[in-house]
Amino acid sequence: MSRRRVLLGAMLLDLAVSPLFAWDVFTASLQRELGAGPTALTTVFSVGLATFMAGVLVGGRIADSVAPRRMAVVAAVGTVAGLLGSAAASSVVVLVLAFGIVLGGTTGLGYATAVRVAGTFKTGRGLALGLVVSAYAIGTAILAPAAAALLDGLGRSWTFVLLAVALGVLLVVAAVLLPAEAATAPTAESGADDRRAPRGPVVALWLAFGLGSAPALSAFAHAGQLAGSTAVAAVAVTLLNVGNFVGRLAAGPASDRVGRRATLHANSALLVVACIPLALSSTGPLALVALFLLGTQYGALSTLTPAALSDVVPRQRFGAVYGRVFTGWGIAGLLAPIAVSAVAAVTGYGVVYAAFIVIAVLAWACVASYGRMASAAVAPPIT
């Protein structure tokens, strides 16, 4: 099966499993129809985030031994079921089950599958991973305005139904394009690689991913306040998302050219630079530039983490190990925005992002530790 076909399948898979982060588009309509408050609807997203992380953790391990095509079919069934359940939901409890648990978990499984496919390419893994994780960001960018337009014309139920049909078709196409056999099956030339994943570099990447993601994940939740005015919140969120896409797309091929460790160090420096204006409570254009840089750093880290991991982890175990490393992101996503909200209410956002500079330096130290330990590890052959 051709490399381009497989890569296209992984990109379509990641694009189609991205509705979780378009949740905010539906909240106003759901508040009117169900009489639910903001806190209750936020619970749906929080549960979805937790199950997405669990889906990546479990899905990565399963994807090491199950064909990507079968994984894509499971993702298709779960995504369609979750969206149809959301269309029929008459209470927040049903939304938690349908959107939060079913959709969140199966889209996490699909995300893990797509990243695993790209992360085990023999050459150009950085580029492949950049394209695949960028497709996830593009999916949310397309789905959010499309869903908003459909909500105005058709209402909540039919919007979810149409999204289920469209994403279901995309996932079926992705399944057809992806390999029908597990990628771990050894060839006569390569054999199996039974070495264990080196613990030190994996732990360092887990810490670097979690600590390095926390400032941007918090910024996504508090963009308006960081920009200095809720009036520019939409611009701030847009710049964060544009930066996220640019970082995801650019970091992979850059790491293929100049090396994974050099690119990770540059990303760590960018995080420190981005946090400084926010720590100084800058507003206006300077704050918006800082948010764009923060989004770029976060997107780049989302690509560089699996790319760096693929350099030190045996191919047969990449999915399982990536799932564990991804929990660093999940913990940061669950805890950092809430902690920032609580602390900023007392001290202000400047103090919070001054603390984030310290966290950024710690993340940079973890990157340095990864570099030292990765140089001592023998990179597994990827065939």
Side-chain angles (χ1 to χ4, degrees):
M1 186 172 288
S2 74
R3 173 191 172 100
R4 289 184 179 180
R5 172 176 170 168
V6 172
L7 181 57
L8 178 59
M11 290 172 64
L12 288 177
L13 173 58
D14 232 14
L15 187 151
V17 295
S18 61
L20 177 63
F21 287 89
W23 169 250
D24 195 50
V25 173
F26 300 100
T27 55
S29 176
L30 289 167
Q31 285 182 39
R32 292 192 301 270
E33 291 187 30
L34 304 182
T39 301
L41 292 176
T42 299
T43 301
V44 178
F45 179 74
S46 297
V47 171
L49 192 65
T51 57
F52 181 85
M53 178 179 65
V56 175
L57 177 62
V58 176
R61 180 175 294 276
I62 296 173
D64 281 338
S65 56
V66 176
R69 183 173 296 174
R70 293 185 179 181
M71 299 288 284
V73 170
V74 173
V77 172
T79 300
V80 170
L83 291 170
L84 292 179
S86 300
S90 58
S91 67
V92 173
V93 172
V94 176
L95 282 172
V96 168
L97 292 173
F99 195 95
I101 296 176
V102 176
L103 181 79
T106 52
T107 55
L109 183 148
Y111 183 89
T113 301
V115 171
R116 195 206 185 282
V117 169
T120 52
F121 274 26
K122 182 178 180 180
T123 60
R125 290 197 303 275
L127 174 61
L129 282 163
L131 290 171
V132 167
V133 300
S134 295
Y136 189 86
I138 292 171
T140 301
I142 293 172
L143 285 175
L150 290 172
L151 284 168
D152 289 338
L154 300 176
R156 182 258 305 189
S157 293
W158 278 108
T159 296
F160 274 120
V161 169
L162 289 178
L163 289 178
V165 172
L167 296 181
V169 170
L170 275 180
L171 286 166
V172 169
V173 173
V176 171
L177 293 172
L178 288 169
E181 296 182 355
T184 55
T187 65
E189 294 79 10
S190 66
D193 183 357
D194 293 326
R195 284 174 289 174
R196 296 177 61 85
R199 182 179 178 84
V202 171
V203 172
L205 279 176
W206 180 80
L207 289 168
F209 197 17
L211 294 171
S213 296
L217 290 171
S218 300
F220 276 105
H222 305 285
Q225 295 91 328
L226 289 170
S229 169
T230 55
V232 295
V235 176
V237 171
T238 299
L239 287 172
L240 276 166
N241 280 293
V242 170
N244 182 22
F245 171 72
V246 170
R248 286 171 184 252
L249 191 60
S255 72
D256 285 338
R257 288 193 295 271
V258 304
R260 227 73 79 188
R261 277 168 273 175
T263 316
L264 278 166
H265 278 292
N267 183 263
S268 298
L270 180 61
L271 177 58
V272 173
V273 170
C275 287
I276 289 173
L278 300 176
L280 296 174
S281 300
S282 301
T283 58
L286 186 57
L288 293 175
V289 170
L291 290 172
F292 171 76
L293 295 177
L294 198 57
T296 302
Q297 174 271 330
Y298 167 72
L301 187 61
S302 299
T303 298
L304 293 173
T305 299
L309 188 67
S310 71
D311 290 339
V312 296
V313 172
R315 181 189 188 197
Q316 283 77 10
R317 294 184 172 87
F318 175 77
V321 179
Y322 176 69
R324 295 201 295 270
V325 170
F326 193 82
T327 62
W329 173 91
I331 293 169
L334 290 169
L335 298 181
I338 296 173
V340 166
S341 181
V343 175
V346 178
T347 66
Y349 287 95
V351 174
V352 170
Y353 273 82
F356 272 149
I357 293 176
V358 177
I359 290 175
V361 172
L362 291 175
W364 199 343
C366 293
V367 166
S369 296
Y370 161 81
R372 288 194 299 272
M373 289 182 285
S375 63
V378 177
I382 296 181
T383 58

